[in-house]
Amino acid sequence: MFPAFTANFGVRGPSLRRSALMVGLATLTTILLLADDFLQQLYTPNNQAELELSYVIVLWIINLCLWLSGRPWFVNLVLMLFAFMQLLQISHISYVGDPLTAIDISKIFTERHEIGGAVESTFKDHWPALLAWGIPYGLLFAAFNWGIRHFRIGRSWIPLIIVLLVLGSKPNRAITRDMLAFMPGSTRSSLHNSINVFSYYAVRMMGREKTIKGPDYAPYSVSHTAPADPPENIWVLMPDSVRSDRLGVGGYYRETTPNLSALWAQGELQAAQGIAASVATGSTLPLFMNVTAEPGNFKALEDGTANMFRLAKAAGYKTFWISTQESKMMNGIGSRFIDVHITKEDNPIDLSMNGDKAVLDWLKNQAWGERNFVVINLRSTHSPYEEAYATEDEGFARWPDGDEVPYDTRMSNAYDNAVVYLDQILASTIQYLSDNFDGDHLWLFTSDHGQELGEDTLWGHNRLTANVAGVPIVLHQKHDDDSDTPYRLPDSRFISHYEIGRWLLGTMGYQLDNPNEQQNVHYFQGEKLHEDNLYMQVVENDDTLIFCRPTLVSRRAREEACRPDFTMQALPWGQYRIVDRDRAAVEGEEVLIR
């Protein structure tokens, strides 16, 4: 009976049956490669992996090629690589609660004794990780080695080469991309994350395990202050790449924010000039959500002492992360403390059809708690700017964005149009919050960083300049009792991301004690948060910010007195002047940035 079966489904069998067998076997082993996540989810909430259609398709193609290669030695090499990565990955998720990063891999070698001690002492709590990993990989080795010998589906070098090209594309990409592009996403398949972070580690870090030692900072501490009337709802809106001086409500000569401007005219908003924590989303979010100020303060970033999601959850808030960006943006923000997370991977079709406005429908479908802490991360003002409103029938293209205008003008106009689009979404979230929730609410709007828009021929972000540092801080609030004392933003012309994070903790009932804090000193950091990062010390002096010359985290202990690089002067909210030391020395004037 069995020989007849293999004859029917072997190379000499009918093509339809052979195709069905190939599809079935590739599907089976794909399921097994995905199974460790879902087995782990049976015993811990730390693993938040979800299925992503595009990734599943690529993984299925890899499995099909492994079967068609017909070479057990090659299949076993690939499986051993996957199994090794996943043993570390699944164990790390079980113990730490977050996916591995390339930095974590390097610590396996530099801190192996400490890690070994932790494994020994906590094995009794985390041994199910071995089952979640071992069961599917044991079945994978058995299925491939038995199946290739008995079914003889094929034997070709072409599928083998395809697998090598697909898997090799990640290390090749790591040659030119920085670590942020390879940070894991909490809701991604753990194998997907492993391929990314091990690729970066192998190309950029292996053999150079000496990591940057952060400066010796005193640890943060948080105490509970039990406020008399904490808000029932705290919403933080953090769109990407919003420059404060391009908002009509902040004094820009174009009315890019008609809805926010109307609320401002009615006295319903408070606002201040913000100082971004960093130049990039992937580095700002961990700094902001962990309320961390100092460059190279890895302990504060990793231990979650001041993590807003953790403390909000402890204070009785249901926590939400709602983003139109990829799930990798959740890295380092405390994803294990988030009750509900929605990212681009969850609704790709909805986003392609409706843009960032899809978020408004997502909000309507949530099971809200009695108290809610919500962070909404939008992409509306991220390049390419015209894509933000491309799906809209309404006239968001107020200023020409076609090929008939010069490139610089077209790009600048498209950015302003995108801000108009964003303004409508922001106003809609305020309206939804006001109409659907009882009790007091706080609605805070800032941005991860600003944007260069052609000034001095610069575009984009990822650089330590004033236009990237300048972000809005806007507050809306509503009280169920008119006699309630309103919340007030910190009394300053400038408010850093760290300061507004500490203020938000205060509204929840926490006091953050940071012994390292220096009055009127802020930090604006580069994108390489876990490497020898560039940063600027920023000194506040009345209505002026002095940006000191950039230095490296590794030189922090030897940091010299501030040598000014440029200054930012506060004017009516949202406007500022940049004094360029070289041009000012020649022309003897200030340079207005518009």
Side-chain angles (χ1 to χ4, degrees), residues 4-213:
F5 176 81
T6 55
N8 284 337
F9 287 89
V11 175
R12 297 181 299 278
S15 59
L16 181 60
R17 290 184 176 182
R18 181 171 179 269
S19 298
L21 177 64
M22 288 190 295
V23 169
L25 291 174
T27 301
L28 171 65
T29 52
T30 299
I31 292 171
L32 289 174
L33 278 175
L34 294 167
D36 50 5
D37 286 328
F38 300 100
L39 289 175
Q40 187 168 38
Q41 289 171 1
L42 295 176
Y43 78 91
T44 177
N46 289 349
N47 191 315
Q48 302 173 40
E50 300 173 357
L51 291 177
E52 300 174 36
L53 180 60
S54 59
Y55 171 71
V56 172
I57 292 172
V58 171
L59 193 61
W60 187 88
I61 292 172
I62 290 174
N63 275 273
L64 179 62
C65 289
L66 289 175
W67 283 106
L68 291 176
S69 72
R71 289 171 168 81
W73 64 266
F74 176 69
V75 173
N76 285 325
L77 281 176
V78 173
L79 288 182
M80 284 190 287
L81 175 65
F82 286 176
F84 171 73
M85 293 191 298
Q86 285 302 93
L87 175 60
L88 299 181
Q89 181 74 268
I90 294 295
S91 300
H92 189 272
I93 291 172
S94 183
Y95 178 74
V96 177
D98 286 319
L100 272 169
T101 67
I103 293 293
D104 295 322
I105 298 171
S106 69
K107 288 180 180 178
I108 294 172
F109 301 97
T110 60
E111 301 176 15
R112 56 187 177 275
H113 297 299
E114 293 86 347
I115 293 173
V119 170
E120 183 179 353
S121 63
T122 62
F123 180 78
K124 63 181 183 299
D125 301 305
H126 298 284
W127 64 266
L130 292 180
L131 293 181
W133 165 80
I135 292 172
Y137 276 94
L139 293 173
L140 277 164
F141 278 103
F144 271 113
N145 283 281
W146 184 85
I148 288 175
R149 289 197 307 271
H150 288 81
F151 293 126
R152 301 189 305 280
I153 292 175
R155 185 176 175 83
S156 171
W157 287 100
I158 295 176
L160 186 152
I161 293 170
I162 291 173
V163 172
L164 291 176
L165 289 175
V166 172
L167 296 180
S169 66
K170 291 291 186 177
N172 181 66
R173 186 167 174 251
I175 296 172
T176 57
R177 300 294 298 273
D178 61 31
M179 188 184 294
L180 286 178
F182 291 83
M183 294 302 274
S186 299
T187 60
R188 278 181 173 169
S189 160
S190 62
L191 180 58
H192 188 176
N193 285 329
S194 292
I195 293 170
N196 276 337
V197 298
F198 277 92
S199 294
Y200 184 88
Y201 172 78
V203 171
R204 303 287 290 273
M205 299 177 69
M206 188 166 63
R208 302 182 292 275
E209 276 79 20
K210 184 180 179 181
T211 57
I212 296 299
K213 183 181 184 299

Side-chain angles (χ1 to χ4, degrees), residues 98 217-224 286-294 297-315 332-334 336-337 498 501-502 504-506 508-516:
D98 286 319
Y217 293 113
Y220 291 8
S221 62
V222 173
S223 56
H224 196 268
L287 289 165
F288 182 81
M289 297 310 307
N290 289 289
V291 197
T292 302
E294 302 81 20
N297 195 342
F298 304 130
K299 180 173 176 55
L301 286 170
E302 293 171 0
D303 65 17
T305 297
N307 182 273
M308 279 195 262
F309 284 118
R310 183 183 75 83
L311 294 172
K313 195 171 178 65
I333 68 172
R336 61 190 180 278
F337 307 118
Y498 166 75
R502 184 182 59 190
L504 283 169
L505 291 181
M508 298 180 205
Y510 296 102
Q511 179 176 319
L512 172 60
D513 179 24
N514 177 5
N516 314 289

Side-chain angles (χ1 to χ4, degrees), residues 281-344:
T281 312
S283 46
T284 287
L285 287 172
L287 289 165
F288 182 81
M289 297 310 307
N290 289 289
V291 197
T292 302
E294 302 81 20
N297 195 342
F298 304 130
K299 180 173 176 55
L301 286 170
E302 293 171 0
D303 65 17
T305 297
N307 182 273
M308 279 195 262
F309 284 118
R310 183 183 75 83
L311 294 172
K313 195 171 178 65
Y317 290 89
K318 188 174 182 179
T319 54
F320 294 79
W321 170 262
I322 300 175
S323 175
T324 58
Q325 306 214 65
E326 294 177 304
S327 61
K328 69 180 180 181
M329 295 304 174
M330 297 174 65
N331 181 262
I333 68 172
S335 59
R336 61 190 180 278
F337 307 118
I338 301 174
D339 295 314
V340 177
H341 43 73
I342 303 173
T343 64
K344 176 182 179 180

